[in-house]
Amino acid sequence: MDLDRLQRCYAIARDDLLTQRNAQGHWTGELSTSALSTATAVSALQLVVRHDPAQSERLLPLIEGGVRYLTEHQNPDGGWGDTDRSYSNIATTMLAVAALTIAGRREQLVEPLAFAENYIEAQGGIAGLRRRYGKDKTFAVPILTNYALAGLVEWREVSPLPFELACLPQKFYKLVKLPVVSYAIPALVAIGQARYFHRPPWNPLMRGLRAAAVKKSLAVLQRMQPASGGYLEAAPLTSFVVMSLASIGQATHPVAQSGVQFLVDSAREDGSWPIDSNLANWVTTLSINALADSGEDVHQLDCLPWVLANQYQETHPFTGADPGGWGWTDLSGSVPDADDTPGAMLAIAHFFHSPSADNETRRQIATAAKKGARWLLDLQNSDGGWPTFCAGWGTQPFDRSGSDLTAHAIRALHAWRSELGDLPVERGIERGFRYLQKQQRDDGSWLPLWFGNQDLPDDENPIYGTVKVLLAYRDLGKMSTRAAQRGGAWLAARQNEDGGFGGGPSVPTLCGGGGESSVEETALAIEALFAAENPAISPEIIPQAVGWLCQRVEEGSYVNGSPIGFYFSKLWYYEKLYPRVMTVASLGAALQANASVPPAPETVTTSSDH
C-alpha cells in the first residue's frame, strides 16, 4: 500500500469526523428522512385535526408539508421506500396511500394514488403485507390499522390486540407471550383500543374484560411515555399511538397531546420526519472507538462526562430494565439496549487507559463499567446470546438473541475483565461464544439483527454480521480457531470486482458513485481482514479494498451513506456519520497494521468551535 496516500486519506476522514461534533463536544449525527415516518405523522396529525379542530392552525401547515414531501418522493414504480435511497416496499407504500387518503387528497392525486395502488396489488395486497412480516404483528397490525382509519380496508382485517395484558406487571409480559415485540407495548395498547372501539368483540365476556381495561391501560400508556412525548423517540410508533387515540375520541388525552407535540417538534424543514430523533450516544461511542483504535488519545475529547451521564441509574419505565445500561441517545425516549451498552463500555475503556486520566476519573469510569457489565450479564438469554432490550422474550424479531449483539457484549466484557471482580464474566463470555458457534452458517458467515443490505435476499447483511463477530474473536485472541478462519475466508471471498465489498447493482444511482460496493461494508471488511490471520487469504485483497476506499475519500464520495440500518421490523435508515466513522476505523486499522504513525493527534481538540 501507498502509506503516504493512506495517511493523507486517514487525516482527511479523521478531521472531517472531528468537525461533525456539536457545540457540546459530542456527536449528534443525522438520520435520513423517512417517507414512512412522514406518512404516519401526516395520518396522525390529520386525525387529530379532524377530532380536535382547535389544533388546525398549528397542525395544518405540517400536514401540508408532509403531503408535499410524499408526493415529491414517490418512486418511478409507483411505490415508496423507507428513505430517499430505498427501494419501494409494500408497507411504506400502504402507509403513504393511507396518509394521502386521510389528508383528503384522493381527488387531487388521482393518478399517483392509482399508480401506488397498482404497486400494492402487484406486491400481493394485504396478503403480501402479511407475508412480509410473518407471525410478527408488531408492524403489520399498525399498518392495517392506518389503512382501516383511511377507510381502505374493513376493520375485520385488523387483528385484535390484547391491550388488557398491558395492565399486568411488566415482569409478566414475557410470560403471557404477547403478539408484539417488547418495545411495542404502546402500540399494543393504543391500536388494541382502536380495534376494540371500531369493531368490538362479539363475545360479551371479552367485550366486558376489555371495557374494564381501557382506563387502566391508558394509564400504563401515559406512564411509559417519555418527557419528549415520543415513544422511543420514534415518529412511527408515536404516530400510531396518536392516530389510534384520536380515532376513538381521545385526541385531547394527555398521551395524544404529548405525542402531537413530539411530532411538531421533530418535523423537518423539507416537510418530512426522520425515523428517530437521533442516535447521539451510539454515534458518539462509535466515533470514540474508531479514533482510539486508530491510535488517537481520545482523552483530549471533552465528551467523557456526557457519555457517563447517559448511563441509566434507575429502572427504566418503558421496558422495566434495571439500572446500568446505555441507550442510543441522551433524549428521554431512549431505552437501554445490548448494542449501545457495549459500545459505551468500550468507549469509556479508552478513557480509562489513557495516560492523561487521573485516578478519580478512572474510579468513576470503572464504577460505570461494572454497572454496565452487571446489566449485560443479567440480560444474557438462556441460549447464551444477547437480545436487544429484554431477556427471555423469545423468537419475535428484535427480541431474540443476535450474533452482532452477542459479539459486541463479549468484546465489552473482555475489555473490563480485570476490573469486574466477582462478576461471572468468564461464564458469560464462554456461553456467548458457544452461541456464536451455533449461529455460524454453513458457508462460514454470521447474520446480524440490526443491519441489512437491500440488494441481498431477505434484506440480510452477512458482511456486517461476520465482521462484528470476527472482531470479538480478534479481541480475545481466537482468530486461529476454525470458526474464525471460516468466517475470514468467507469474508475475503465476498470482494467485488471493483475492490470493495457489499452494496449492489443499484447503489450508484441511489448513492452517487459507489460502484457495486458500499463505503460502510468495505470499511467494515477492511477492519476485520487485517485481523484475519488466515494464510489462505490472498495478500492482494486488503490493498485493493483500501485503495477503493481511499479513492472514495479523495473524491469526497465516501460520505454518501447507504441504507444499511434497520430501525425495527425491516424499517430502513441511513446515518450520515456511519460512512465517516467506519472509514476512520478501517483506515486507522490499516495504519496500525503497517506500524505507521498517524498524523499528529493535536488535531483532536477540545474546542467547541467546530
Side-chain angles (χ1 to χ4, degrees):
M1 285 180 283
D2 182 340
L3 293 184
D4 288 339
R5 183 190 189 197
L6 179 58
Q7 286 185 322
R8 184 172 63 252
C9 289
Y10 168 76
I12 292 171
R14 179 203 57 195
D15 293 348
D16 175 37
L17 179 60
L18 290 169
T19 63
Q20 298 297 319
R21 285 179 295 165
N22 58 27
Q24 290 73 47
H26 64 269
W27 288 263
T28 302
E30 182 179 283
L31 285 160
S32 53
T33 58
S34 168
L36 186 144
S37 293
T38 303
T40 57
V42 167
S43 289
L45 297 180
Q46 184 67 64
L47 286 167
V48 168
V49 168
R50 185 180 299 174
H51 294 276
D52 183 16
Q55 301 211 52
S56 298
E57 183 177 354
R58 178 169 74 132
L59 301 184
L60 285 177
L62 295 176
I63 294 169
E64 290 295 326
V67 167
R68 184 176 62 253
Y69 178 88
L70 289 174
T71 55
E72 291 175 353
H73 287 82
Q74 187 173 18
N75 285 338
D77 60 7
W80 279 267
D82 296 343
T83 77
D84 56 349
R85 299 175 185 175
S86 299
Y87 306 140
S88 298
N89 67 74
I90 190 171
T92 303
T93 304
M94 289 180 71
L95 290 170
V97 169
L100 295 173
T101 301
I102 290 172
R105 300 304 198 277
R106 299 291 306 186
E107 294 184 4
Q108 178 185 343
L109 300 171
V110 173
E111 290 187 7
L113 285 172
F115 197 17
E117 287 168 339
N118 286 337
Y119 172 85
I120 292 169
E121 286 304 309
Q123 299 299 310
I126 293 173
L129 177 74
R130 290 185 172 129
R131 280 196 303 273
R132 177 177 173 86
Y133 296 107
K135 295 181 180 179
D136 180 22
K137 297 181 179 181
T138 303
F139 217 56
V141 172
I143 293 168
L144 288 173
T145 296
N146 200 168
Y147 230 48
L149 291 172
L152 298 172
V153 70
E154 296 292 332
W155 278 100
R156 66 172 178 267
E157 297 287 354
V158 182
S159 298
L161 295 178
F163 64 87
E164 65 277 4
L165 295 180
C167 300
L168 295 171
Q170 283 179 315
K171 62 182 179 181
F172 292 113
Y173 285 176
K174 64 184 177 183
L175 300 178
V176 296
K177 303 298 181 184
L178 293 178
V180 298
V181 294
S182 59
Y183 59 78
I185 301 301
L188 174 82
V189 173
I191 292 173
Q193 288 199 17
R195 171 60 164 78
Y196 164 74
F197 278 99
H198 290 290
R199 187 179 172 83
W202 63 268
N203 186 317
L205 291 177
M206 183 58 69
R207 205 161 51 239
L209 173 66
R210 291 194 168 158
V214 167
K215 186 174 181 180
K216 189 173 181 180
S217 60
L218 278 176
V220 171
L221 199 60
Q222 190 167 1
R223 186 175 68 246
M224 296 178 75
Q225 191 169 32
S228 68
Y231 294 100
L232 301 180
E233 294 295 319
L237 179 56
T238 306
S239 296
F240 286 134
V241 170
V242 170
M243 71 174 75
S244 298
L245 294 181
S247 77
I248 59 175
Q250 296 280 9
T252 59
H253 189 279
V255 168
Q257 289 182 328
S258 294
V260 167
Q261 187 59 53
F262 170 79
L263 294 175
V264 170
D265 293 340
S266 56
R268 289 184 169 171
E269 291 184 2
D270 65 356
S272 71
W273 276 263
I275 206 65
D276 200 89
S277 297
N278 65 58
L279 309 180
N281 189 65
W282 175 240
V283 295
T284 294
T285 58
L286 285 178
S287 298
I288 292 170
N289 290 325
L291 290 164
D293 290 340
S294 299
E296 307 286 358
D297 181 6
V298 295
H299 192 79
Q300 297 176 60
L301 298 170
D302 49 5
C303 54
L304 173 63
W306 182 84
V307 174
L308 292 175
N310 290 337
Q311 186 176 34
Y312 285 93
Q313 305 298 333
E314 299 177 352
T315 299
H316 198 280
F318 195 98
T319 58
D322 291 333
W326 278 265
W328 57 89
T329 179
D330 59 333
L331 301 177
S332 60
S334 184
V335 176
D337 66 79
D339 217 6
D340 293 287
T341 298
M345 290 174 63
L346 288 168
I348 63 176
H350 291 301
F351 287 94
F352 182 86
H353 293 293
S354 169
S356 307
D358 57 49
N359 289 335
E360 176 59 22
T361 299
R362 288 195 177 98
R363 186 194 65 78
Q364 293 176 2
I365 295 172
T367 298
K370 191 166 186 177
K371 289 180 180 178
R374 184 179 292 110
W375 188 87
L376 278 179
L377 290 168
D378 289 344
L379 191 71
Q380 192 171 21
N381 271 336
S382 59
D383 63 7
W386 269 267
T388 306
F389 300 115
C390 302
W393 277 69
T395 59
Q396 293 278 20
F398 301 114
D399 272 331
R400 66 179 185 271
S401 298
S403 295
D404 49 338
L405 303 173
T406 301
H408 211 182
I410 288 172
R411 293 180 64 204
L413 293 171
H414 171 71
W416 285 100
R417 253 176 165 148
S418 62
E419 304 291 331
L420 297 181
D422 57 353
L423 291 181
V425 174
E426 303 300 327
R427 181 173 180 270
I429 289 175
E430 182 181 343
R431 292 177 62 219
F433 271 116
R434 285 203 299 268
Y435 168 82
L436 291 177
Q437 289 168 6
K438 291 178 181 178
Q439 294 301 308
Q440 188 171 28
R441 300 200 298 178
D442 291 342
D443 62 6
S445 66
W446 285 271
L447 294 178
L449 192 60
W450 284 93
F451 288 81
N453 183 321
Q454 62 183 357
D455 291 295
L456 294 183
D458 298 321
D459 298 332
E460 295 171 341
N461 196 325
I463 287 179
Y464 183 95
T466 302
V467 167
K468 292 302 175 181
V469 173
L470 288 177
L471 294 181
Y473 278 86
R474 176 201 67 184
D475 285 6
L476 279 85
K478 293 178 177 288
M479 289 303 289
S480 62
T481 63
R482 183 171 181 271
Q485 292 285 294
R486 291 176 61 222
W490 178 90
L491 181 62
R494 302 280 81 75
Q495 188 171 37
N496 297 329
E497 291 184 2
D498 61 7
F501 287 78
S506 298
V507 168
T509 59
L510 289 169
C511 305
E516 288 195 353
S517 306
S518 77
V519 170
E520 293 91 337
E521 289 160 295
T522 302
L524 287 165
I526 290 170
E527 188 176 5
L529 288 172
F530 267 117
E533 298 180 10
N534 190 332
I537 295 177
S538 170
E540 298 177 356
I541 289 177
I542 295 178
Q544 289 173 351
V546 171
W548 184 94
L549 190 57
C550 283
Q551 182 178 341
R552 283 2 180 234
V553 172
E554 289 163 345
E555 66 190 26
S557 64
Y558 79 103
V559 300
N560 296 327
S562 303
I564 189 175
F566 280 150
Y567 197 90
F568 308 118
S569 299
K570 290 192 173 185
L571 209 171
W572 294 97
Y573 74 87
Y574 60 89
E575 221 293 338
K576 79 170 187 176
L577 289 183
Y578 280 175
R580 290 173 162 91
V581 170
M582 294 173 188
T583 297
V584 168
S586 63
L587 296 184
L591 285 172
Q592 295 296 303
N594 283 275
S596 179
V597 179
E602 60 264 19
T603 56
V604 180
T605 67
T606 58
S607 171
S608 61
D609 183 14
H610 304 302

